[in-house]
Amino acid sequence: MQPEKEWSTYRFYPKYEHLLDEVIQQIIKPLASEMTGEVHYYFFLRRKDHHGHHIMAGFRLDPDESEVLRTKIRHDCGQALAELDGDRRGRRRLLFEEEDGEQQPAVRPFTREPVFSENTAAGIVWPDLLLKRSTDLTFSILENELLGGADRTEAVILLMHQAIRSGLCSMDAAIQFLERYADHCIASCKEPDLGANLDQAVKLNEKQFLSQWGRTLNNVHLLRKVRPFIEELSSVRHQVEDQLIPSPPFEEFLFHYLHDTNNRLGMSHKEEAYIAKLLHKTLEKSSKYA
C-alpha cells in the first residue's frame, strides 16, 4: 500500500513585492518540475501577511519526496531569494501603480494545514487537478510574456471571457456575472470613489479596448495556452454538479476559480474590477460573446 501524499507548504518572501514574478519563475517552477512522479499536484498563491508580500506554494508529495523538498528549500531557496535582482526595470507594467516597500528575504514553512481543496463558504470542492492546471497555465503565460508574447493583462481578459463563455449560456447571465465580479473586487479595495473612477477610466479607454479586443480573440497562440484550462474547468463543473447535491451555482464556482487564477498572475483587485467592467461594456456592444 502506497503512503498517502500530503501537502508540503512554504512561504517565499523576496526583498521587494515586484520580485514575486522572479520567485515564481526561478524558484517555484523549478521545484514543481523536479518533483517527478505519475500524479503530483502543486499550486501557489500571492499573499501578504505581517511579514510582507510572498508566494505561498504547496506541493502534494509522498513522504520521501517531501523530505527531499525540505532539504532543497533549506539549502538553496533562501540563498536564491537573497540573490534575486531588485532592478525595477524588470518590473511588469501595472494598470494601476502601487507602492513596493523593502522587506527581509526569507523562506518560512506553512505549519497550519490549509484548506486547499474546498471553499467552505461557497460549499465548493476544488479537485487538485484544477489547482495544478491553473498553476501550469500561469507558468505558461508568464514564460510567454518573458519571451515577448502577449502580456498577462491580455491573457487575463481572454481567460475570463472564454471561461465565462464556457459556462454561462446567455449574454445576460455573463453581464450579471461581470457586474457582481467587479462589485466584489471594488468592495475588497475599500476605496470610496473607486467604482466611479473605474467607470470613468472605462469610458475613456473603451474605444481602444474594443479595437484591441478583436485582435485578442484572433490570437491563436494565446488561445492554445488558455484552451486546456477552459476544457478542464468545464469538465470539473460537471464533476461538482454530480458530487454535490444540491450543487453550488456555477457562477460561484467560476468566480472563485477565476479570482484565484488572476491572483496567481499578479492581478490586483483593482485591475480585476477594471477588466471586468471593460468586458461588461464590450459584451453589451459586441456580438463576440457567441
Side-chain angles (χ1 to χ4, degrees):
M1 182 176 178
Q2 290 187 335
E4 180 68 22
K5 290 181 171 61
E6 297 182 353
W7 285 101
S8 298
T9 317
Y10 297 87
R11 295 170 294 176
F12 300 84
Y13 297 81
K15 188 173 184 180
Y16 297 104
E17 180 186 0
H18 73 268
L19 292 173
L20 291 178
D21 279 355
E22 279 72 17
V23 174
I24 295 165
Q25 290 281 6
Q26 299 181 35
I27 297 176
I28 307 302
K29 187 177 179 181
L31 285 174
S33 324
E34 289 175 22
M35 297 297 108
T36 58
E38 186 175 340
V39 182
H40 280 157
Y41 302 109
Y42 44 80
F43 87 106
F44 72 86
L45 289 170
R46 299 173 193 246
R47 287 287 183 257
K48 183 181 180 181
D49 60 14
H50 63 284
H51 295 296
H53 292 277
H54 60 277
I55 298 293
M56 182 178 77
F59 304 84
R60 192 179 181 201
L61 308 167
D62 62 48
D64 290 341
E65 287 189 309
S66 294
E67 183 57 38
V68 171
L69 179 69
R70 280 193 292 272
T71 301
K72 184 168 184 59
I73 287 175
R74 187 165 57 243
H75 289 167
D76 300 339
C77 292
Q79 181 179 352
L81 278 174
E83 292 175 352
L84 287 178
D85 184 6
D87 189 344
R88 284 176 174 265
R89 287 176 297 179
R91 186 176 179 181
R92 84 170 180 95
R93 181 175 59 84
L94 299 171
L95 295 175
F96 303 96
E97 198 64 26
E98 296 179 357
E99 293 296 322
D100 188 25
E102 185 175 331
Q103 60 191 33
Q104 179 63 39
V107 181
R108 302 176 188 275
F110 198 61
T111 53
R112 181 178 65 84
E113 180 65 25
V115 182
F116 295 120
S117 42
E118 60 181 305
N119 181 324
T120 53
I124 297 171
V125 175
W126 308 123
D128 295 332
L129 180 59
L130 204 52
L131 288 173
K132 180 180 181 296
R133 178 71 78 183
S134 174
T135 303
D136 287 338
L137 176 67
T138 302
F139 289 155
S140 180
I141 288 173
L142 295 181
E143 181 69 21
N144 183 55
E145 183 183 66
L146 191 67
L147 297 174
D151 69 24
R152 75 192 69 182
T153 301
E154 185 177 349
V156 166
I157 292 167
L158 186 63
L159 170 66
M160 289 184 67
H161 173 267
Q162 294 287 295
I164 292 167
R165 183 171 173 248
S166 75
L168 302 179
C169 57
S170 72
M171 181 81 77
D172 287 343
I175 287 174
Q176 289 173 16
F177 173 82
L178 287 166
E179 287 174 345
R180 290 193 294 270
Y181 199 107
D183 288 346
H184 175 90
C185 293
I186 289 168
S188 300
C189 294
K190 297 182 172 61
E191 296 181 27
D193 299 325
L194 180 58
N197 292 339
L198 289 178
D199 286 338
Q200 184 64 25
V202 167
K203 187 175 181 181
L204 290 171
N205 296 309
E206 181 183 344
K207 288 184 179 179
Q208 179 184 353
F209 179 78
L210 284 170
S211 174
Q212 175 62 33
W213 180 233
R215 293 192 292 273
T216 300
L217 286 179
N218 292 318
N219 188 330
V220 176
H221 182 71
L222 192 55
L223 278 167
R224 285 174 179 164
K225 300 283 184 186
V226 169
R227 181 51 52 188
F229 173 87
I230 303 303
E231 291 171 353
E232 198 66 51
L233 183 66
S234 300
S235 170
V236 170
R237 173 196 182 184
H238 297 303
Q239 294 176 34
V240 169
E241 290 175 344
D242 290 342
Q243 292 171 12
L244 298 180
I245 302 175
S247 62
F250 182 66
E251 289 86 344
E252 291 293 323
F253 178 84
L254 186 62
F255 168 80
H256 288 287
Y257 213 78
L258 281 177
H259 198 47
D260 282 352
T261 303
N262 288 340
N263 168 284
R264 293 182 180 99
L265 286 163
M267 307 305 292
S268 68
H269 289 173
K270 192 181 297 186
E271 289 174 308
E272 283 191 277
Y274 179 61
I275 289 170
K277 282 180 172 290
L278 278 171
L279 274 175
H280 176 285
K281 187 66 70 175
T282 302
L283 294 186
E284 284 185 322
K285 296 193 171 184
S286 171
S287 62
K288 298 285 177 71
Y289 178 75

